[in-house]
Amino acid sequence: MAVAMKIGFEEIFAEVIAALPDTFKKGENKALGSRLNRLLRLFNDDTKRLDLPKKNTKRSTEDVKKGEKQVCKCSKSRWWSSCFRVCCPIELCEWDEDIARSCEDDTEANSTRNHGTEISLNLNITLEKEDSNLDKKRVFCAVRRPPDFTVGFDTPMKELKTLLLKEEVHQLLLTAPAGCGKTTLVQMLCQDKQIKGMFTNNILFVNVSKTPDVKVIIQNLFSYKGIRPKYQIQSDEDAICQLPQMLSHIGPNPILLILDDVWLGSEFLFEKFQFNIPNYKILVTSRTAFPRFKHTYNLKQLNDVDAMTLFCHSAFLQDESSYIPEEDIKKIVRGCGGFPLVLKMIGGSLCGQHAVVWHSRLLKWSDGHFFFNSDTELLPHLQKSLEFPDDKIIIKECFMDLGSFYAEQRISAAILIDMWAELYELDEDGIHVIANLQELTIRNLANLEMTRKDASEVKSYYNEDFVTQHNILRELALHQSSQEPIGQRKRLIMNISGTNLPKWWMEQKQQPINARLLSISTDESFLGSWCNIQAPKVEVLVLNFQTKNYTLPEFVEKANELKVLIVSNCGFFHAEIKNFQLLWSLPNLKRIRLEKISISSLCKTLVPLKSLRKISLFMCNIDTAFENCTIQGSYALPNLKEINIDYCNDLVELPVGLCDIVHLKKLCITNCHKLSILPKGIGKLVNLEVLRIRSCTNLSELPESIRSLHKLSILDISDCLSISKLPKYIGELCNLKVLNMKGCLRLCNPLPESTIDLKQLMIVVCDEERAKLWEPIKEVLTKLNIEVAKKDINLNRLLK
């Protein structure tokens, strides 16, 4: 039987070798060929083959058969011989690893060998004899060598090594999105002379992946070190209890345990492997930035130079490839966003292709086709990051919603609060929204930038926070959102360039779209000519544009379910809006956010918005716009509860007409540095609960009329540098609970006598100098807590 198996193996092997091109057998790709020859020699030695376990023989044969299919598949491509290293499918690379494992297993079955830091662990060494019912799946624990060609990892490796070798660092997390090269960086680290010299043969590498088996992992660790457990391991608990025995045995030499590719939900493994053993360190790699880690290294994407180098290497672009236009190469590399995996795969897919193919690929991507349509093996790798349990599926929905905005755009958290309050019925204060964004940040699917929060702001103020999303992740979000037919998508995201409207939009017999979220982004060449569409179910409409004049699309007039409208001008100049009167008939419109809009253009056609509850103006030109309105604010906005005005630099005086909106509950005016006067009529806002006049550096005082705001619970005048005193009758704010006056550097006068009447006041936020003013008051107001604010130098706000 052994002879027959040998003959069958040789026939398969011969076909594989015949299919390999000469450049593969000889050149720098000879490693796999060498392993194949080694495996064949093992089969040719009848004596050794008869001694090998039957399952090893079967496995080796299956590995070579698998390779035969892949080689035949790849050999049909005329370019595969020159591009094997980067162009071959992932399956062929995996076959290379399978052959390597077969060689290791077959050799190890005859003589156990120790390779220092690179040792393959085979469960069958000792445990197979103890219990035949043990899980016998092979867990490979060797630290593989890094790829022959790497770029951009030298600095990260030095930084990671420096952090790992610090005496106080016992557990270290290496985190980055999928495809950034975390495992490659660890492989390079383990090849470093200092690391190898320190940990010698005590580097233990475990590929954890999605469903780790604690018992099997620890059994392999015992087998690797040739140590027999005190008693038979029958459960995870048995394994964990005996692991310290093995770790202590291989000490006191330093030990490095590497847990590679730990998924969210598998962090329990890290906790189970923590022991109080001298010179014992754990290095974890994960797509998730687990908050519990005290020491974390964030691996960044490649810079432009390194990205170009890796891409050109992957695409084999040498001097003879100069016929590929340089501008095309730069655009493609820019689109890959510095992700090593994306650069390798996209470069590999273009290797040897004609310049026309390169340009064609670019045109497809610009028309809304994605990288993932060009390389089908890239998508599954990135999609693994989007696996959520059923109770967190809303996090995935939030991730895909982020694709509604321009690539690399700083998305205000306030926008997402408006969107998700209506789409997913999240709280209007934004607590659950911020929690979801934190989850996406932990998973490296987005990046939430938050300003430092005082006690008064933790649960209610997120206007200065923003989110960014890497272009590749945005591509992934767009791809995931486009899997259903246009009419059936629950979110429809369109990017329009010039007059190139989508074909389906121009069809005469157009079917209604059923999307709840509709996002339309246009560029600076868009001429504003809309085709009519039917969007009866849209609840959130996001309009991104870059022109000085913009016309709201006609279909808005019939969008009766519309609840949130976001109009964002990303151009350089303030824009004028036409067709604003279309909104008057919308019965459910609750929230409007306008960014970089000339408000005077709206007031010319201002119509009553009876259902509107919140309006936000960001970087808008207001000037005297409201003074020229043809109708009063109280009539036009009868149900308005909240007004936010941020970075409106031409606002000098708050329009008097806004003081007639008596149902208003929140008024926030922030970063309006020319604002110098609040009207006395502000006292008419008797239902006001929150008043934020924040970072308005030219405002010198608050009007005495605010004494009438008996429902006011939060007063925020932080960073109003010119305010020198509090209103004389501030004590009449009988429901005031929070007063934020940090950064009011000119407020040096003694507090008004009426301050002692603030019986409900619980928190005052201020700096050390202002805190001294409140010390006498604390003897009377026993509930009062004085919070001394820390200095917060946040330059991110200047980039808005």
Side-chain angles (χ1 to χ4, degrees):
M1 182 174 178
V3 174
M5 186 176 294
K6 172 186 172 183
I7 294 172
F9 178 85
E10 287 178 332
E11 291 175 353
I12 299 169
F13 186 89
E15 293 181 19
V16 174
I17 292 295
L20 295 176
D22 291 338
T23 54
F24 172 65
K25 295 180 215 175
K26 298 177 184 177
E28 58 176 312
N29 300 300
K30 63 184 180 180
L32 177 55
S34 175
R35 282 194 283 271
L36 284 168
N37 286 323
R38 179 181 170 192
L39 194 58
L40 181 61
R41 285 197 302 272
L42 287 169
F43 269 84
N44 283 335
D45 190 334
D46 287 342
T47 304
K48 286 186 176 181
R49 181 53 39 191
L50 291 172
D51 289 340
L52 288 175
K54 290 182 180 179
K55 68 184 190 67
N56 283 34
T57 303
K58 180 180 179 182
R59 185 170 60 234
S60 299
T61 305
E62 290 174 349
D63 288 342
V64 176
K65 283 183 177 179
K66 174 183 174 183
E68 179 191 8
K69 294 179 181 178
Q70 291 301 326
V71 168
C72 291
K73 176 183 175 182
C74 291
S75 63
K76 295 177 182 178
S77 170
R78 57 176 292 200
W79 300 108
W80 97 284
S81 63
S82 63
C83 304
F84 170 78
R85 293 184 59 80
V86 292
C87 304
C88 66
I90 288 177
E91 289 87 349
L92 201 53
C93 295
E94 292 175 347
W95 175 56
D96 182 13
E97 296 176 359
D98 291 338
I99 293 299
R101 283 195 287 269
S102 292
C103 290
E104 293 289 345
D105 292 345
D106 291 344
T107 303
E108 184 179 81
N110 289 278
S111 59
T112 303
R113 301 185 307 160
N114 189 328
H115 290 279
T117 58
E118 298 182 41
I119 292 188
S120 301
L121 310 184
N122 193 322
L123 180 60
N124 302 311
I125 293 176
T126 58
L127 297 173
E128 184 179 36
K129 299 176 182 178
E130 296 175 6
D131 187 352
S132 59
N133 294 322
L134 287 174
D135 183 0
K136 298 177 183 178
K137 68 178 182 179
R138 292 151 57 244
V139 180
F140 234 68
C141 299
V143 183
R144 296 188 181 278
R145 292 187 180 275
D148 292 338
F149 184 85
T150 58
V151 62
F153 285 104
D154 290 344
T155 297
M157 196 197 76
K158 291 177 182 177
E159 293 173 347
L160 181 64
K161 182 177 74 171
T162 299
L163 188 56
L164 178 66
L165 295 182
K166 287 185 177 181
E167 185 176 351
E168 67 273 18
V169 175
H170 302 291
Q171 296 90 30
L172 175 59
L173 173 66
L174 168 60
T175 184
C180 283
K182 298 181 292 295
T183 301
T184 298
L185 181 58
V186 169
Q187 291 169 343
M188 293 180 64
L189 180 73
C190 292
Q191 292 296 319
D192 180 79
K193 291 182 179 179
Q194 188 176 358
I195 294 295
K196 293 173 76 172
M198 178 176 181
F199 295 101
T200 60
N201 63 339
N202 280 348
I203 296 181
L204 315 175
F205 185 93
V206 176
N207 190 339
V208 178
S209 296
K210 187 177 180 181
T211 55
D213 190 322
V214 175
K215 183 177 69 173
V216 171
I217 289 172
I218 294 179
Q219 286 173 334
N220 278 273
L221 292 175
F222 270 98
S223 297
Y224 157 45
K225 301 307 295 184
I227 302 171
R228 187 180 297 274
K230 287 185 177 179
Y231 52 86
Q232 187 174 341
I233 297 177
Q234 296 183 339
S235 65
D236 289 355
E237 290 72 19
D238 288 346
I240 294 298
C241 287
Q242 295 195 70
L243 182 57
Q245 166 207 344
M246 187 270 287
L247 295 176
S248 298
H249 182 82
I250 65 177
N253 293 330
I255 303 169
L256 176 60
L257 174 62
I258 300 171
L259 302 178
D260 186 45
D261 194 21
V262 177
W263 285 54
L264 187 65
S266 298
E267 59 268 33
F268 71 90
L269 192 66
F270 159 73
E271 296 176 350
K272 290 179 181 293
F273 281 14
Q274 290 186 79
F275 303 105
N276 187 20
I277 297 175
N279 301 316
Y280 172 50
K281 294 177 180 284
I282 301 177
L283 174 59
V284 174
T285 76
S286 179
R287 303 177 186 190
T288 303
F290 298 114
R292 67 189 66 194
F293 276 83
K294 183 178 180 181
H295 304 285
T296 299
Y297 184 83
N298 293 283
L299 179 60
K300 304 300 182 183
Q301 290 80 34
L302 298 180
N303 61 37
D304 293 343
V305 175
D306 291 334
M308 178 64 75
T309 301
L310 179 59
F311 178 80
C312 290
H313 176 83
S314 302
F316 278 88
L317 291 178
Q318 308 299 335
D319 294 338
E320 62 270 18
S321 303
S322 57
Y323 61 87
I324 304 294
E326 183 179 357
E327 189 58 32
D328 285 357
I329 298 174
K330 288 182 178 180
K331 287 181 180 179
I332 292 174
V333 171
R334 217 165 25 241
C336 293
F339 277 60
L341 179 68
V342 180
L343 289 160
K344 287 180 181 178
M345 290 191 169
I346 298 299
S349 69
L350 291 168
C351 175
Q353 299 286 358
H354 192 277
V356 173
V357 176
W358 286 62
H359 194 66
S360 172
R361 190 77 61 84
L362 269 176
L363 289 177
K364 288 181 179 179
W365 289 337
S366 64
D367 287 342
H369 295 263
F370 309 111
F371 287 120
F372 316 115
N373 296 338
S374 307
D375 196 310
T376 56
E377 285 140 17
L378 177 60
L379 179 60
H381 187 84
L382 296 179
Q383 278 181 326
K384 293 178 182 178
S385 299
L386 300 182
E387 296 183 8
F388 292 88
D390 291 342
D391 61 335
K392 289 191 175 183
I393 199 67
I394 188 175
I395 308 294
K396 182 177 180 179
E397 299 294 329
C398 291
F399 166 77
M400 292 191 288
D401 289 345
L402 295 180
S404 303
F405 304 91
Y406 285 122
E408 308 292 348
Q409 179 179 342
R410 292 156 57 93
I411 309 167
S412 171
I415 295 178
L416 301 175
I417 291 172
D418 286 342
M419 290 173 52
W420 295 342
E422 299 300 335
L423 287 175
Y424 310 123
E425 299 182 352
L426 300 184
D427 64 299
E428 296 191 7
D429 288 332
I431 297 174
H432 295 314
V433 171
I434 297 299
N436 288 352
L437 292 173
Q438 288 281 13
E439 178 88 9
L440 289 174
T441 300
I442 288 172
R443 291 173 176 263
N444 280 307
L445 293 172
N447 184 32
L448 173 63
E449 294 285 346
M450 300 187 70
T451 57
R452 181 181 287 125
K453 303 297 181 190
D454 300 311
S456 62
E457 304 167 328
V458 171
K459 298 181 181 179
S460 60
Y461 185 71
Y462 305 105
N463 286 15
E464 295 179 351
D465 304 333
F466 63 90
V467 183
T468 57
Q469 188 177 48
H470 194 281
N471 185 48
I472 290 296
L473 296 174
R474 179 177 182 270
E475 286 276 317
L476 180 60
L478 293 176
H479 183 273
Q480 293 297 112
S481 299
S482 63
Q483 296 308 294
E484 297 173 317
I486 296 290
Q488 298 178 20
R489 296 178 191 174
K490 54 186 174 184
R491 75 176 57 71
L492 181 57
I493 301 173
M494 295 187 292
N495 295 281
I496 300 175
S497 177
T499 58
N500 298 323
L501 296 176
K503 292 181 180 179
W504 64 266
W505 200 337
M506 311 206 38
E507 294 175 357
Q508 291 184 354
K509 296 181 180 180
Q510 184 191 112
Q511 298 295 319
I513 62 174
N514 293 310
R516 296 181 64 204
L517 167 61
L518 175 59
S519 171
I520 306 175
S521 299
T522 55
D523 63 8
E524 64 277 0
S525 62
F526 179 65
L527 299 179
S529 57
W530 298 100
C531 292
N532 199 23
I533 64 172
Q534 301 177 53
K537 295 184 179 180
V538 65
E539 297 178 36
V540 176
L541 176 61
V542 180
L543 300 173
N544 303 304
F545 65 97
Q546 302 178 40
T547 53
K548 289 184 65 175
N549 295 286
Y550 188 78
T551 303
L552 293 183
E554 297 284 346
F555 69 80
V556 171
E557 187 175 17
K558 297 181 181 180
N560 290 331
E561 296 298 320
L562 186 63
K563 298 176 182 177
V564 181
L565 173 64
I566 298 165
V567 183
S568 178
N569 170 21
C570 296
F572 185 75
F573 300 101
H574 287 83
E576 296 206 354
I577 300 294
K578 298 179 181 178
N579 270 2
F580 200 74
Q581 71 276 8
L582 297 178
L583 305 180
W584 77 272
S585 62
L586 302 181
N588 294 301
L589 184 59
K590 299 179 182 178
R591 304 162 187 264
I592 293 178
R593 181 180 174 92
L594 305 176
E595 297 189 352
K596 207 180 290 188
I597 305 298
S598 176
I599 302 302
S600 59
S601 65
L602 305 183
C603 289
K604 297 176 184 177
T605 56
L606 186 63
V607 293
L609 300 173
K610 298 295 180 67
S611 60
L612 194 67
R613 297 174 59 86
K614 178 180 178 180
I615 186 167
S616 301
L617 307 177
F618 178 74
M619 295 185 73
C620 292
N621 268 351
I622 296 179
D623 197 21
T624 58
F626 289 100
E627 296 178 6
N628 301 323
C629 287
T630 55
I631 55 177
Q632 290 185 339
S634 57
Y635 174 75
L637 306 166
N639 290 299
L640 192 66
K641 305 297 182 185
E642 181 175 352
I643 297 177
N644 291 288
I645 303 175
D646 191 22
Y647 281 99
C648 296
N649 291 327
D650 68 337
L651 180 65
V652 177
E653 181 177 357
L654 187 68
V656 176
L658 296 183
C659 298
D660 295 327
I661 308 176
V662 294
H663 295 292
L664 203 64
K665 291 186 176 182
K666 290 184 180 181
L667 175 59
C668 300
I669 306 174
T670 56
N671 302 296
C672 297
H673 299 296
K674 292 184 179 180
L675 179 69
S676 58
I677 301 174
L678 293 180
K680 294 181 180 179
I682 199 171
K684 294 189 290 184
L685 300 177
V686 293
N687 290 294
L688 204 63
E689 297 174 2
V690 178
L691 177 59
R692 294 191 191 276
I693 313 295
R694 187 183 179 104
S695 297
C696 297
T697 54
N698 207 32
L699 183 66
S700 58
E701 64 178 4
L702 298 176
E704 291 291 343
S705 60
I706 71 165
R707 64 194 291 186
S708 302
L709 307 181
H710 296 157
K711 293 184 179 181
L712 194 68
S713 62
I714 296 178
L715 175 60
D716 185 351
I717 56 172
S718 59
D719 297 313
C720 290
L721 303 179
S722 299
I723 290 182
S724 59
K725 62 179 181 178
L726 294 179
K728 182 177 180 180
Y729 299 105
I730 192 173
E732 295 185 22
L733 300 177
C734 53
N735 276 299
L736 189 65
K737 294 180 175 62
V738 177
L739 172 60
N740 191 331
M741 47 187 286
K742 70 175 182 180
C744 295
L745 303 182
R746 293 188 183 177
L747 208 161
C748 301
N749 297 318
L751 299 176
E753 293 182 4
S754 67
T755 307
I756 61 174
D757 296 327
L758 297 171
K759 304 298 183 182
Q760 301 300 318
L761 189 61
M762 301 180 67
I763 297 175
V764 171
V765 183
C766 57
D767 56 28
E768 291 184 5
E769 290 298 318
R770 261 44 64 183
K772 296 176 182 178
L773 300 177
W774 286 93
E775 287 301 326
I777 307 296
K778 286 185 65 177
E779 298 178 5
V780 180
L781 305 179
T782 56
K783 297 180 181 179
L784 181 60
N785 178 40
I786 308 298
E787 181 181 333
V788 178
K790 298 178 181 179
K791 293 183 179 180
D792 184 18
I793 302 175
N794 182 19
L795 299 181
N796 282 328
R797 286 182 287 176
L798 301 178
L799 300 175
K800 289 189 176 183

